[in-house]
Amino acid sequence: MSDTPQTVADERIKSMSRLRTALIRPELGGIVGTVAVFTFFLLFAFDSGMFNAQGVMNWSVVSAQFMIIAVGACLLMIAGEFDLSVGSMIGFAGMMIAIFGVTLDWPMWMAIALTFVICILFGALNGYIVVRTGLPSFIVTLATLFILRGFTIFIPQTIERKTIIGGIREAAEGDWLAPLFGGKILTGVFQWLGNAGIIDVFERGSRKGQPVVDGIPMLIIWALLLVFVAHVLLTRTRFGNWIFASGGDADAARNSGVPVNKVKILMFMFTAFCATVFATCQVMEFGSAGADRGLLKEFEAIIAVVIGGALLTGGYGSVIGAALGALIFGVVQQGLFFAGVESSLFRVFLGVILLFAVILNTYIRRIITGER
Amino acid sequence: MCARPIVQMKNIEKHFGSVIALAGVSIDVNAGECHCLLGDNGAGKSTFIKTMSGVHKPTAGEIIFEGQPMDFTDPRDAIAAGIATVHQHLAMIPLMSVSRNFFMGNEPIKTLGFLRFFDHDYANRVTTEEMRQMGINLRGPDQAVGTLSGGERQTVAIARAVHFGAKVLILDEPTSALGVRQTSNVLATIDKVRKQGVAVVFITHNVRHALAVGDRFTVLNRGKTLGTAERGEITPEELQDLMAGGQELAELEGSLGGTV
């Protein structure tokens, strides 16, 4: 027995075909979906204006919105938890900025900073309750969903006797922090493109001579930045390994010395951060905060993540995949509008694609873990 | 073989309320030996190794590690001292790659300016090398642990513990769920690790597995040590009898709800 038989791996494990190897990449579903969606709309809606400068900006902004919340939901799901309070958090954060910045007339940077602190604390509380009680995060954050939504309606009604607070854009004028969320960059480049006739300019009206797309909104920059940072964090750092381990098997991770509770709480805080970024960009764009903002966003984030190949059970997934999931969302939602299809069909599409994605993911999981 | 005991457990007792799980267990383990701990279900094997690995604090008795009395308050202390436990389950994460699993909790770091990254190149290289030494040829270090067989997973866990400096390796029934081939691979791994000077505590209730690699054999029954035998001093039949001798009593105690 002392002499080891030279174990040959091939004897036990059938060699994997190239297709199967490709299949277990979590981004695969997202890549295939993205190609399919673009092919479809290029064929059927090319002339609708969906692919001119304005159209591209239109679905890019919507996709970027999905992306921002999907990134948070993605890391959290890989760490093995859900956050159903994302949508309420978006409404709550927007309302807090309005109350601090407009009703109380504090400087906008202070309103934004304080809102971030409050929301991230709520995220930490979500995480703390989940790891301390061992309850499913589904239930804990469902409670937070209602609590935050309730406050988002109660607070402005009590103070202002209304549920929509406007005047945020005016209050943010001249502020140094607000443009980081509501501003646009590369405006000069777009003006030049407009002057050069590469993109359309307005023919008449008060903005005559200005390009139809006058810059890249910070929202898109935030989305790309978050995707990049989260992707590097997940795949290239020690902490990323801990995220996978915490979601893959919390007990095994603890046995190996991974601070699972800390990882999970931090991921809840990151999700709250993403929701607040979303909310801040949104109120800066709309100039108002409404108590019904962010409805159902938590589910849209989760669906984007699942389309992106993450497993609902945790421990497996990809930020790039989630970003592609968000892109699919944005393109389809706006594309149906451009193609003149009844927009309610978007929900049908969502349901169908979610079902497909989950079935595909379950199949992939079997391949990875060798279950039959 | 070095005769200096690296761990001595002296008259360990462990009570859970009114239940006496361990009523005075003593063993010592030498560096470079494989000490088999045999016992039927309920004999107190699990409680004993949990005491050794810092999960339980003994009610009475002494743990002497490298000549020093030790007082472990949690498993991290034991791991830091060099006592690693490989559990039958709860060791590997199937969805993660072999190299990510291998370095889980001990990730190698490569700094780039002020940023700190997971050094995948180093992790992959070391993992492949360690696995090859253990006789497992990986398709690639990024192969998911889920695709490995049960025996290979145990081997990865053992290699990992040794790589990170375990002096005492506690294996909790590593072969109980494995087939014949896989078992022989794990036993071969145990043999390799022992030759590197690591003290192995091999918990099993399979006499044949124990005799295949064991240097010494201690039989536990009803929370007590029935004695320790050297290799060659004892036949499989005698060991089997020792283990099974308390069978009826253990069953009786089980039916009274008094076992561990």
Side-chain angles (χ1 to χ4, degrees), chain B residues 126-211:
Chain B
V126 171
T127 307
T128 314
E129 181 53 33
E130 292 279 339
M131 289 302 100
R132 192 179 299 131
Q133 282 183 12
M134 289 295 177
I136 296 178
N137 290 315
L138 294 175
R139 194 184 302 126
D142 56 347
Q143 187 180 343
V145 161
T147 58
L148 299 179
S149 68
E152 286 169 331
R153 286 186 212 189
Q154 289 289 338
T155 303
V156 176
I158 292 169
R160 177 173 69 181
V162 174
H163 180 82
F164 290 107
K167 295 170 187 160
V168 178
L169 189 60
I170 304 171
L171 305 175
D172 183 9
E173 311 222 353
T175 55
S176 65
L178 303 182
V180 179
R181 265 298 292 280
Q182 294 184 15
T183 299
S184 72
N185 284 339
V186 170
L187 296 179
T189 305
I190 293 174
D191 183 56
K192 269 192 190 129
V193 167
R194 169 179 58 187
K195 284 186 177 138
Q196 291 173 25
V198 176
V200 179
V201 180
F202 178 22
I203 288 95
T204 182
H205 53 236
N206 188 314
V207 173
R208 282 175 0 120
H209 296 173
L211 281 165

Side-chain angles (χ1 to χ4, degrees), chain A residues 70-356:
Chain A
V71 168
C74 177
L75 291 193
L76 184 64
M77 197 186 286
I78 296 173
E81 305 291 343
F82 286 107
D83 188 349
L84 294 187
S85 66
V86 167
S88 298
M89 187 78 81
I90 290 169
F92 180 77
M95 194 52 79
M96 285 299 106
I97 291 173
I99 301 250
F100 293 143
V102 177
T103 309
L104 299 178
D105 208 20
W106 292 354
M108 193 47 74
W109 64 266
M110 211 157 97
I112 294 173
L114 194 60
T115 302
F116 267 96
V117 171
I118 293 173
C119 290
I120 290 170
L121 283 178
F122 265 109
L125 184 69
N126 271 339
Y128 184 77
I129 296 173
V130 167
V131 300
R132 290 301 298 200
T133 59
L135 288 170
S137 48
F138 174 81
I139 289 298
V140 173
T141 56
L142 186 63
T144 320
L145 181 159
F146 280 99
I147 293 167
L148 284 179
R149 184 63 71 190
F151 276 130
T152 310
I153 301 166
F154 172 79
I155 295 173
Q157 268 204 327
T158 315
I159 302 175
E160 294 253 2
R161 301 244 147 262
K162 55 187 180 186
T163 54
I164 296 175
I165 299 179
I168 292 175
R169 205 173 288 152
E170 293 71 24
E173 208 127 304
D175 190 77
W176 61 270
L177 187 59
L180 212 57
F181 296 92
K184 287 183 176 176
I185 61 164
L186 299 180
T187 46
V189 174
F190 280 88
Q191 185 64 54
W192 179 82
L193 286 172
N195 294 345
I198 297 169
I199 57 175
D200 295 341
V201 292
F202 287 107
E203 302 286 337
R204 59 178 88 82
S206 62
R207 296 176 66 189
K208 185 170 187 303
Q210 290 181 13
V212 288
V213 174
D214 59 355
I216 296 179
M218 284 306 290
L219 178 81
I220 292 179
I221 305 301
W222 272 104
L224 297 178
L225 190 75
L226 282 171
V227 169
F228 176 74
V229 170
H231 177 70
V232 171
L233 179 78
L234 184 65
T235 57
R236 302 253 166 252
T237 69
R238 161 180 286 186
F239 194 79
N241 209 38
W242 291 355
I243 296 175
F244 279 121
S246 301
D249 187 334
D251 287 326
R254 278 195 194 96
N255 281 349
S256 302
V258 175
V260 174
N261 290 353
K262 190 174 131 192
V263 170
K264 289 193 172 183
I265 291 174
L266 278 170
M267 285 304 101
F268 273 105
M269 291 166 76
F270 180 66
T271 311
F273 171 81
C274 291
T276 314
V277 169
F278 181 104
T280 313
C281 290
Q282 196 183 42
V283 293
M284 290 305 152
E285 190 196 344
F286 290 0
S288 68
D292 62 344
R293 292 276 165 76
L295 270 182
L296 290 180
K297 284 290 171 208
E298 56 279 341
F299 290 110
E300 292 172 356
I302 290 171
I303 296 171
V305 174
V306 171
I307 294 173
L311 290 177
L312 288 162
T313 42
Y316 187 76
S318 143
V319 175
I320 301 294
L324 291 174
L327 182 63
I328 293 173
F329 253 46
V331 170
V332 173
Q333 183 178 330
Q334 298 312 104
L336 291 180
F337 166 75
F338 278 107
V341 178
E342 170 61 36
S343 64
S344 51
L345 283 178
F346 176 59
R347 310 208 165 188
V348 177
F349 163 80
L350 269 196
V352 172
I353 196 170
L354 173 65
L355 204 54
F356 267 110

